[in-house]
Amino acid sequence: MTLLVALTWDPKPWVERFRSHLSGRDIVVLGEDFDRARVRYVATWGPKPGSLSNLPSLEAIFSLGAGVDHLMGYPDLPDVPIVRVSQDDLTYRMSEYVVMHCLMYLRDQRRFDADQQAKRWEPDRAPPIAAQVRVGVMGFGALGQDAARKLKVMGFDVAGWSRTPKSVDGFEIFSGEAGLEQFLARTDILVSLLPLTSETRGILKRDLFKKLARDGHLGGPILINAGRGGSQVEADILACLDDGTLKGATLDVFEVEPLPQESKLWNHPRVTVTPHNSATSDPEMTARYIAHQILRHEAAGEPFQHVVDRGRGY
Ligand code: NAP
Ligand code: GLV
């Protein structure tokens, strides 16, 4: 069998890891000469038009990340299972990011960074404790639930919002349009871990920010978006920060990536920017995850895990 690696970045470390976990198999890279009729699997991120066509033996497409919006718009996407990454290594990285940024807001860390720069000693009054801060996690799937559990360990008052109703022990979960207002009204820190779909595009906008709680202990609502940049309206975020609708924002993802030099987000005093690396796919762990899926499928005809529902778009 052949695994085709089709990436927008340097494929070398990936090819090495796939070779070590799928020994004896052909691992080929887009751009090289290879027999398209032998390709049974593709491992990809942002495939170029044409790269997935004319692969008559294709059995599955593996996204090298948790999100699959990079595939959903692909013209003539082959009708085979699309498998996304859903494994502990990536999930735990995201939870670390979310917990860290929630704690930074809880403890007003940016103020103390500025105080240190200015050699200012102002112990001030005690900050709130986590139990006094309500975190709302939008997108209560693999990433949202793990982050929520870890935020809860720190003491935060956490609720979730998902597309469909669900019950997860220990959490109040709101769902759909019907549950959105109530969810926002009890949220001081809004964490978005939503996939990008036609329903979630542009959802993080002024109308939504206006509905966040204004009676919390942080002096105004906070936005943390580590889902997808297409879900946020950056002009609204900037305007809402400037008129007090939002107190602060931490953004890992952007409408355009890399974030353009001229974006006002770079220098805004109440914005934290990270370069879409809150939960990077580690080549070793991801190749191992994909190889495991291929080997169990070939040995025992096991179905692939974490297959995307194309109708939903995630
Ligand atoms: P997942 O397990 O599929 O969970 C997605 C969650 O979003 C589910 O709870 C789903 O609701 C909810 N959702 C989807 N559409 C919705 C809508 N219209 N309204 C309300 N809720 C909606 O996905 P995951 O593994 O947690 O990953 C989530 C996303 O994180 C990825 O798609 C990707 O975009 C992003 N991500 C970013 C990074 C990064 O480095 N920044 C890294 C990894 C992933 P249901 O439970 O009802 O289905
Ligand atoms: C990264 O953004 C991912 O979807 O895994």
Side-chain angles (χ1 to χ4, degrees):
M1 76 96 186
T2 298
L3 169 74
L4 168 64
V5 179
L7 300 181
T8 49
W9 60 76
D10 177 16
K12 208 161 156 252
W14 291 88
V15 170
E16 281 165 13
R17 297 322 193 289
F18 281 124
R19 287 204 172 119
S20 92
H21 290 290
L22 290 166
S23 60
R25 314 305 215 270
D26 281 341
I27 313 294
V28 299
V29 179
L30 204 67
E32 288 172 355
D33 248 5
F34 61 89
D35 182 357
R36 295 188 79 88
R38 286 179 53 81
V39 173
R40 288 174 65 185
Y41 311 103
V42 173
T44 188
W45 188 265
K48 292 197 187 86
S51 52
L52 305 183
S53 317
N54 187 21
L55 299 171
S57 311
L58 191 65
E59 288 177 40
I61 297 172
F62 293 93
S63 164
L64 290 187
V68 290
D69 46 295
H70 64 106
L71 282 169
M72 287 296 127
Y74 183 88
D76 304 323
L77 191 62
D79 188 16
V80 296
I82 298 169
V83 179
R84 65 189 200 91
V85 175
S86 187
Q87 45 117 343
D88 291 350
D89 183 78
L90 182 146
T91 303
Y92 296 172
R93 287 167 197 266
M94 182 58 86
S95 296
E96 289 163 8
Y97 182 90
V98 170
V99 172
M100 180 183 86
H101 286 282
C102 287
L103 287 171
M104 298 272 277
Y105 287 107
L106 176 71
R107 302 301 299 247
D108 208 4
Q109 185 56 41
R110 284 183 73 125
R111 196 199 91 185
F112 292 110
D113 289 343
D115 284 358
Q116 182 179 349
Q117 287 297 314
K119 301 187 179 170
R120 204 162 41 224
W121 183 274
E122 287 179 0
D124 219 70
R125 61 184 175 80
I129 58 165
Q132 294 172 303
V133 173
R134 298 160 293 184
V135 182
V137 181
M138 290 183 104
F140 216 63
L143 301 184
Q145 289 181 35
D146 191 69
R149 275 192 290 274
K150 287 166 181 168
L151 287 165
K152 198 168 175 178
V153 170
M154 292 310 304
F156 286 101
D157 178 1
V158 189
W161 184 68
S162 55
R163 192 177 59 87
T164 54
K166 51 169 45 69
S167 110
V168 176
D169 252 7
F171 295 100
E172 187 174 10
I173 304 173
F174 301 84
S175 62
E177 269 296 312
L180 185 56
E181 288 212 7
Q182 230 187 321
F183 165 78
L184 296 171
R186 53 79 62 214
T187 295
D188 301 314
I189 302 181
L190 181 66
V191 175
S192 177
L193 294 172
L194 286 167
L196 182 61
T197 67
S198 55
E199 288 179 8
T200 63
R201 183 172 291 282
I203 192 172
L204 302 171
K205 59 181 183 204
R206 177 179 283 280
D207 278 2
L208 181 142
F209 302 143
K210 278 193 325 208
K211 294 175 183 159
L212 289 163
R214 304 214 55 87
D215 58 351
H217 285 82
L218 299 180
I222 305 291
L223 168 68
I224 298 176
N225 184 14
R228 279 291 182 267
S231 294
Q232 73 199 13
V233 179
E234 289 168 12
D236 282 8
I237 294 175
L238 284 161
C240 287
L241 285 164
D242 290 343
D243 70 13
T245 305
L246 287 174
K247 166 90 185 301
T250 289
L251 306 173
D252 184 52
V253 287
F254 300 91
E255 287 173 6
V256 175
E257 295 179 7
L259 182 62
Q261 290 295 307
E262 61 275 17
S263 170
K264 293 196 167 69
L265 292 168
W266 282 113
N267 298 113
H268 196 287
R270 280 177 288 116
V271 175
T272 298
V273 167
T274 54
H276 197 145
N277 73 342
S278 52
T280 309
S281 290
D282 174 67
E284 169 63 22
M285 300 310 287
T286 312
R288 194 184 292 187
Y289 164 86
I290 291 174
H292 175 71
Q293 293 239 22
I294 290 176
L295 294 175
R296 64 197 280 285
H297 167 73
E298 290 188 349
E302 297 275 352
F304 297 111
Q305 297 164 311
H306 309 297
V307 173
V308 171
D309 178 331
R310 290 178 186 227
R312 298 182 320 190
Y314 66 96

